[in-house]
Amino acid sequence: MLQTGHRNRRLPVTRESGAVELRQLEYFVAVAEEGSFTKGARRVRVAQSAVSATIQKLERELGLPVFAREAAGVTLTDAGAALLPEARGLLSAERRARDTVDQVRGGLRGTIRIGTLTSIGVRPASRGLMVVDLPQVLGRFHVTHPLVTFQLRTSPRGTAGHLESIVADELDMALVGAYSHPDRVKLHHLGTVPWCFVCPRRHRLADATSVSLEDLADETFVDFPPGWGNRTMTDRAFAGIGIVRNVPFEAADQETAVGLVRNGLGVTLAPRAGNEDDEALSVIDIADESLRLPIAVATASDRQPSAATTALLAAILRAAGKKDAAAEVQAHR
């Protein structure tokens, strides 16, 4: 019996309810996480009609609807909310079982779900936005392990969203900009990225060689939404010297944020690389060591990673120049 977290209702998931199949749970989780049958079907690469029929069969076997169908998409019912963590757990166990058999068979297999940050973590390291070139690592890993596939995902809530997804077993690993993390998450630090002050060329500080946080106290800022690692870093730095910033404009990716600055809506803080060649902007160093964003790979600390996930983690750590990558990965297992 599965107990819901809502009004103590119970789901009649018994042998008499019928045999719930892993495929049904896979489709259910995909639709629940994507918020629609269309996106869920695209994720599992199955026709929407087949996904809908499978979910309907699941609901008949459970005796309760798991989704409330609405014009804007779908939401979980009480039964669906109770089923979701159980379904994720069963699918995770199935992946681990397959992984164990694949190791006996020889060669790595499976899908690794990876959370990435927009503008940070998916661009080449040569542009200075990241301490490791993730696309290059994935490309080389695929050559060595062609049976391993990747699902790269972003979160509208940035680091906070990725950490929650790690805990919920929705991601196997994620690139994050984090100072702290939940108890059920382990951070494998890769390095830091310094942030600079970015303003229009006509700004009063445009010709400065360096600025302090105090110099920026009265500025109008464009920044990422709360929950993103760089926003947390910046808020902490200013709060540490008693300054409450004015942040009327928010954007969830660096390109948009810089575009708003370019068009006169305010100033922002961003990595130097990728912005220093823009003739409409000035990129100025900040004389404060607190504005260095720590970049890490987040993984779950309370469940066994797949062999493929472990191997990819080691590859990322090596690419970041971590000499003790093997020891760190072994400790993780």
Side-chain angles (χ1 to χ4, degrees):
M1 302 284 283
L2 297 177
Q3 184 171 346
T4 72
H6 305 272
R7 297 186 292 279
N8 294 323
R9 293 182 59 190
R10 288 179 176 268
L11 289 177
V13 184
T14 65
R15 293 184 183 275
E16 290 74 26
S17 300
V20 174
E21 302 173 359
L22 287 172
R23 177 171 52 85
Q24 294 172 331
L25 297 180
E26 179 187 6
Y27 293 1
F28 162 69
V29 170
V31 173
E33 292 180 353
E34 297 295 338
S36 80
F37 279 92
T38 300
K39 293 180 180 179
R42 187 180 303 125
R43 174 165 145 184
V44 296
R45 300 180 181 179
V46 175
Q48 181 178 336
S49 58
V51 171
S52 297
T54 300
I55 296 297
Q56 289 172 1
K57 181 181 178 183
L58 173 65
E59 291 175 323
R60 287 196 301 271
E61 291 172 347
L62 295 178
L64 287 172
V66 294
F67 290 117
R69 280 78 167 172
E70 302 169 353
V74 296
T75 57
L76 289 168
T77 62
D78 285 355
L83 178 61
L84 184 57
E86 302 290 343
R88 286 171 174 157
L90 288 170
L91 292 173
S92 180
E94 188 264 349
R95 284 193 298 270
R96 290 194 297 271
R98 286 183 177 274
D99 180 62
T100 300
V101 174
D102 288 339
Q103 290 183 62
V104 175
R105 181 187 300 157
L108 297 180
R109 300 168 182 261
T111 298
I112 305 175
R113 303 162 299 171
I114 308 169
T116 64
L117 299 179
T118 58
S119 301
I120 305 171
V122 295
R123 295 185 180 181
S126 60
R127 295 195 62 183
L129 294 181
M130 189 53 190
V131 292
V132 65
D133 186 337
L134 181 60
Q136 183 183 81
V137 172
L138 297 182
R140 291 176 176 175
F141 190 88
H142 182 66
V143 171
T144 307
H145 308 290
L147 298 180
V148 176
T149 59
F150 312 110
Q151 293 179 352
L152 272 63
R153 304 175 187 172
T154 59
S155 169
R157 298 182 54 241
T159 286
H162 282 334
L163 294 177
E164 291 175 3
S165 293
I166 291 288
V167 171
D169 196 17
E170 298 170 13
L171 291 175
D172 299 304
M173 64 171 60
L175 288 169
V176 297
Y179 289 87
S180 60
H181 56 89
D183 291 338
R184 295 167 61 188
V185 171
K186 178 177 177 58
L187 295 183
H188 309 266
H189 289 279
L190 302 178
T192 60
V193 177
W195 246 234
C196 295
F197 174 60
V198 181
C199 64
R201 288 286 187 185
R202 59 183 178 276
H203 190 275
R204 63 183 180 87
L205 296 173
D207 295 326
T209 57
S210 177
V211 296
S212 67
L213 296 184
E214 289 83 355
D215 293 331
L216 310 180
D218 297 326
E219 295 294 333
T220 297
F221 278 88
V222 178
D223 208 337
F224 277 55
W228 287 76
N230 49 317
R231 175 65 181 266
T232 300
M233 170 188 68
T234 304
D235 286 346
R236 286 185 177 184
F238 279 94
I241 58 173
I243 295 176
V244 178
R245 292 187 302 152
N246 178 28
V247 189
F249 306 111
E250 294 180 346
D253 69 271
Q254 204 73 64
E255 185 174 347
T256 300
V258 171
L260 295 178
V261 172
R262 188 183 298 112
N263 286 277
L265 273 73
V267 301
T268 194
L269 303 177
R272 173 175 293 279
N275 298 310
E276 56 190 349
D277 296 329
D278 192 321
E279 295 182 354
L281 300 174
S282 288
V283 182
I284 303 164
D285 291 334
I286 299 176
D288 193 311
E289 287 297 316
S290 65
L291 285 178
R292 298 181 66 88
L293 183 65
I295 304 296
V297 178
T299 58
S301 61
D302 62 346
R303 61 180 181 269
Q304 185 79 1
S306 70
T309 298
T310 299
L312 179 58
L313 174 60
I316 293 174
L317 292 174
R318 286 194 300 270
K322 297 295 182 179
K323 297 180 180 179
D324 57 347
E328 181 169 344
V329 170
Q330 187 62 33
H332 178 53
R333 291 184 67 87

